[in-house]
Amino acid sequence: MRKIFAAVALLAAAGCSVSAGADDGRQTVVVGYQSKTINTVTAGTLLRDLGYLEKRLGDKYRVEWQDYDTGAPITAKMVAGKIDIGSMGDYPLLINASRTQGVDGARTELVSVTGYNLRGGLNAVVVPPSSGVETLADLKGKKVSASSGSAGHGTLVQALEQAGLDPATDVEVVNQQPPVGASALQSGNVQGYAQFVAWPGLLVFQDQARLVYDGSALGVPTFHGVVVRQAYAKEHPDVLQAFLQAQIDATNYLHEHPVEAAEAVAKATGLPPEVVYLYNGRDGIASFDVTVKPQLLSALQHDEKYLKIIGTDFTDVDVTKFANDSYIRKAYGASYDADTASTANPAKITGTDEACGTAVSDPAKAGELWLAGEDRLHPAATPTCLLRQIAAAVSAGKTVRAAYVPDAATGTHWFADKSVWVRDPSAGDDERFTPFTTHDGAQAYVKEHPKAEIVGYDEALKAAEGGASR
């Protein structure tokens, strides 16, 4: 094995990928990405669509984009010297470091972040819509699809532990790629599906699944980041700087043009734009920020324990050596430290609520309504105000593409018509209805508020419409 790695090291030390050197005389930069893992779009799908990297590199280089469903094949090709720069989630990042850190020529470094959620909301567990499963504990004795070593798998293991279940014996984890697992869930071959962005949201939006566990309930940060082969970065610092500057450009574009970005990613991936926007839009589940925050590095150290439980032949990683923010610090400029310290989502919902006539200013309550035929979303100050907007739009004969509301406990943005709603008569007129991503979360609220009750979406909508004029 050491001899194999030594050969790989010699190749990597040459500072170029296997495919470097195109027929036209330009050197090839090979970038591995996951088009449907839309928390990485600023280092993959959107970046490619915008052409920012090619513009930054100029005529000396050509870019070869390689698309995969998970981070595992990207890591395998980086070990073999066939991918220079890649993007993947936190658990795959740790595996990437574990596979490469033992050999200098194959070593990789974490050089930037694409997007994150400080509570873990990028991962989730879903079940069939008609399933009797309401909590993770109900999955005992059942089969759950997950991609081994993925962030979704890690979330499942941690969540099962918190629910008092043994991840190794109380459920059967079936190792499947996301599309395969989605098919297995629909056919009934598995009873649960634990995956990363954007698969849970996609299945729920398509009425093929129901959310049973919101990863934000863990309270453990999750993120995706960019890794580079260390030897390549040293040999071609100009390429890495161009990549990181282009990533910053793409991040700024996403913040400034969230609808256009969602539409572009949807066109490139085949995902519905409404699903892309759920994660990547204003105050979406993901905060897009290239800085390497200490909370995220602490989360990596926390996650190591669970990779060992998963059994991915994982060896300890020195996260402090794996993470190297010197490159992104240089590309970012003087505000790097200040922006690293900030955890506010740069893409915030703002404006005036058309139904309640109030300013939209609180991210914990703000939502949005997306109507067919419109290229801008309507901001809502509270979930109740959003229900009024939806009711008014429907009454006017308009079609709702999607409506987004934040979970009252976790802050996770979710589809309004897929949320679990609670009516609390003790709350103010504009805050009478409260949404949750899961039935479990709604039940916890009702338990603490004796007058509150769970109501259906249609009932909440009708009641909110009746109170529109107050």
Side-chain angles (χ1 to χ4, degrees), residues 355 388 464-470:
R388 290 179 186 149
E465 180 182 21
S469 61
R470 287 174 289 135

Side-chain angles (χ1 to χ4, degrees), residues 445-460:
Y445 181 91
V446 169
K447 186 176 181 180
E448 295 180 0
H449 299 78
K451 294 183 180 180
E453 61 175 341
I454 295 176
V455 296
Y457 172 70
D458 290 338
E459 182 180 349

Side-chain angles (χ1 to χ4, degrees), residues 128-422:
S130 60
S131 171
V133 172
E134 295 290 353
T135 70
L136 278 183
D138 296 334
L139 286 171
K140 185 175 182 179
K142 294 179 168 56
K143 294 181 180 180
V144 180
S145 175
S147 301
S148 182
S150 70
H153 191 188
T155 294
L156 174 66
V157 170
Q158 293 186 65
L160 289 172
E161 275 196 353
Q162 283 193 2
L165 300 182
D166 185 335
T169 60
D170 286 335
V171 299
E172 180 182 345
V173 177
V174 181
N175 180 21
Q176 295 174 320
Q177 293 293 300
V180 177
S183 296
L185 186 72
Q186 293 174 54
S187 66
N189 290 332
V190 297
Q191 291 75 54
Y193 179 83
Q195 280 296 353
F196 46 84
V197 50
W199 293 96
L202 172 64
L203 295 185
V204 170
F205 179 75
Q206 295 178 332
D207 292 323
Q208 296 174 359
R210 171 172 51 83
L211 191 67
V212 73
Y213 187 81
D214 173 0
S216 290
L218 273 182
V220 178
T222 185
F223 73 101
H224 291 69
V226 174
V227 283
V228 64
R229 291 191 294 110
Q230 187 182 66
Y232 185 87
K234 290 179 178 179
E235 184 72 17
H236 298 284
D238 57 328
V239 173
L240 182 56
Q241 281 301 302
F243 183 92
L244 295 175
Q245 288 166 344
Q247 185 193 344
I248 293 170
D249 294 340
T251 302
N252 291 336
Y253 179 89
L254 185 146
H255 292 160
E256 295 166 7
H257 308 281
V259 175
E260 293 89 338
E263 295 279 11
V265 171
K267 183 178 180 180
T269 62
L271 291 168
E274 297 88 349
V275 173
V276 178
Y277 193 89
L278 171 72
Y279 291 95
N280 295 7
R282 294 184 184 89
D283 279 325
I285 299 176
S287 293
F288 282 85
D289 182 338
V290 300
T291 62
V292 182
K293 301 182 186 300
Q295 300 97 316
L296 306 182
L297 298 183
S298 295
L300 279 185
Q301 294 169 327
H302 166 87
D303 293 342
E304 288 191 64
K305 167 188 173 183
Y306 294 96
L307 273 174
K308 294 175 182 177
I309 293 174
I310 289 171
T312 55
D313 191 25
F314 176 79
T315 57
D316 289 337
V317 170
D318 187 337
V319 172
T320 60
K321 291 183 179 179
F322 175 51
N324 178 1
D325 72 350
S326 64
Y327 296 108
I328 189 64
R329 181 182 292 273
K330 179 181 177 181
Y332 200 91
S335 63
Y336 181 81
D337 286 331
D339 290 346
T340 300
S342 173
T343 56
N345 192 329
K348 185 179 179 180
I349 299 173
T350 58
T352 301
D353 187 299
E354 299 166 5
C356 292
T358 57
V360 180
S361 59
D362 186 354
K365 299 177 182 178
E368 287 184 298
L369 171 61
W370 194 352
L371 296 174
E374 297 186 2
D375 57 5
R376 74 172 186 90
L377 278 71
H378 301 259
T382 70
T384 301
C385 294
L386 178 67
L387 289 175
R388 290 179 186 149
Q389 287 193 34
I390 296 171
V394 173
S395 294
K398 298 179 180 179
T399 300
V400 175
R401 289 186 63 174
Y404 308 98
V405 287
D407 181 292
T410 67
T412 299
H413 272 232
W414 205 238
F415 300 110
D417 61 334
K418 312 300 183 186
S419 297
V420 182
W421 288 86
V422 171

